[in-house]
């Protein structure tokens, strides 16, 4: 199965993608995680992406299309994968369809995580992230066992540069302008499902499984 998770930043796509991936033996491909990894390694790609990410705007289409194009052709993706944070523009979605079609494959399902901007602002500004393994915590709702330390790998937790208030507002604006048109794109292809993302984590998982099976 090739699954696309759509939704604004902070709607829980990453958390659900990781959970689903480990439970279903699928791969999770997150362009955000790949770009942050490139930044932490100091690669040319990371350097190029950082200034866009810190401002809350999208990295140019060709950069992320190449990144995903290479990644989804490797043999470990043959069993299927979950895309989280890609595509984010119509051009990315069309390029994805073309890249997959070359190999006789297609997106099977796209699921939209629905949630209001107000809830997202609260969620994202309290979010703390492990830069090493990507695990997420929250100052109010999901505290680590030891303050400031990742439960999974013991590294320090940080507030991502792009989780600062003014950058969050920018990211939401970018989402509404550039990514939301994908809802209609996948609806027209008859592939769209929805989940209410403003529910406890376990309930979102149940809704997500239902939305995937509903086709
Ligand atoms: P995320 O962790 O998915 O919220 O992504 C963090 C940042 O990485 C975004 O605000 C963008 O600057 C960049 N990014 C991630 N995925 C994409 C994408 N598909 N297209 C363009 N920029 C992206």
């Amino acid at each position: 199965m090739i699954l696309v998770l759509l939704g604004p930043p902070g709607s829980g796509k990453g958390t659900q993608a990781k959970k689903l991936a480990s439970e279903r033996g699928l791969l999770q491909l997150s362009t955000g995680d790949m770009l942050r990894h490139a930044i932490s390694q100091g690669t040319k790609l990371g350097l190029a992406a950082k200034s866009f990410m810190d401002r809350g705007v999208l990295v140019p289409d060709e950069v992320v299309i190449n990144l995903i194009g290479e990644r989804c052709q490797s043999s470990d993706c043959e069993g299927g994968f979950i895309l989280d944070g890609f595509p984010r523009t119509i051009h990315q979605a069309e390029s994805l369809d073309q890249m997959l079609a070359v190999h006789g494959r297609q997106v099977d399902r796209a699921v939209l995580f629905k949630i209001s901007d107000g809830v997202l602002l609260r969620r994202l500004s309290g979010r703390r992230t492990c830069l090493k393994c990507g695990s997420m915590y929250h100052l109010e709702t999901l505290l680590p066992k030891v303050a400031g330390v990742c439960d999974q790998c013991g590294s320090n937790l940080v507030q991502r540069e792009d989780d600062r208030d003014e950058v969050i507002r920018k990211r939401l604006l970018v989402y509404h302008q550039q990514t939301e048109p994908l809802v209609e794109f996948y609806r027209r292809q008859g592939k769209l499902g929805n989940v209410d993302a403003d529910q406890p984590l376990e309930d979102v998982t149940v809704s997500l499984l239902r939305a995937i099976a509903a086709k």
Side-chain angles (χ1 to χ4, degrees):
M1 150 159 307
I2 298 177
L3 178 66
V4 168
L5 300 188
L6 274 180
S11 57
K13 304 183 302 291
T15 306
Q16 294 295 334
K18 283 191 179 72
K19 198 159 175 273
L20 194 62
S22 76
E23 284 168 13
R24 295 284 171 107
L26 295 168
L27 266 187
Q28 177 216 9
L29 302 184
S30 156
T31 37
D33 286 349
M34 289 178 191
L35 293 168
R36 278 184 289 279
H37 180 71
I39 291 173
S40 73
Q41 300 294 302
T43 64
K44 213 169 124 191
L45 167 70
L47 280 177
K50 189 173 185 321
S51 67
F52 295 98
M53 293 171 75
D54 285 351
R55 281 181 287 135
V57 298
L58 296 184
V59 170
D61 278 346
E62 299 314 323
V63 174
V64 283
I65 289 167
N66 286 338
L67 200 61
I68 283 291
E70 277 172 27
R71 188 64 189 85
C72 72
Q73 277 166 42
S74 39
S75 57
D76 58 352
C77 286
E78 278 167 16
F81 50 90
I82 305 169
L83 288 166
D84 143 33
F86 182 93
R88 259 176 153 105
T89 63
I90 294 285
H91 180 54
Q92 290 179 21
E94 288 170 348
S95 302
L96 175 65
D97 283 353
Q98 285 159 14
M99 289 186 298
L100 292 173
V102 171
H103 301 278
R105 308 183 83 182
Q106 60 171 337
V107 169
D108 296 291
R109 195 97 178 115
V111 180
L112 171 66
F113 283 49
K114 285 183 148 176
I115 191 160
S116 76
D117 284 6
V119 173
L120 288 175
L121 271 165
R122 269 204 308 285
R123 270 196 190 180
L124 285 170
S125 55
R127 189 158 85 166
R128 295 295 177 270
T129 307
C130 174
L131 277 186
K132 192 159 177 214
C133 73
S135 296
M136 307 266 196
Y137 301 85
H138 195 277
L139 294 181
E140 288 162 21
T141 54
L142 190 61
L143 285 166
K145 293 191 183 93
V146 179
V149 179
C150 178
D151 292 349
Q152 305 299 324
C153 72
S155 300
N156 287 340
L157 301 179
V158 296
Q159 180 174 38
R160 275 169 38 181
E161 194 62 26
D162 59 350
D163 280 346
R164 287 180 299 114
D165 210 58
E166 64 278 18
V167 185
I168 295 169
R169 288 175 198 279
K170 178 72 188 172
R171 290 167 69 199
L172 288 175
L173 190 75
V174 166
Y175 171 76
H176 292 304
Q177 289 176 339
Q178 292 180 264
T179 308
E180 224 164 29
L182 291 179
V183 174
E184 196 46 41
F185 179 89
Y186 286 113
R187 182 175 290 134
R188 255 193 254 127
Q189 291 191 358
K191 292 178 177 171
L192 189 73
N194 292 298
V195 300
D196 172 4
D198 189 11
Q199 308 180 79
L201 199 147
E202 294 301 331
D203 297 342
V204 177
T205 307
V206 172
S207 309
L208 176 59
L209 292 173
R210 237 181 251 140
I212 295 168
K215 205 182 173 191

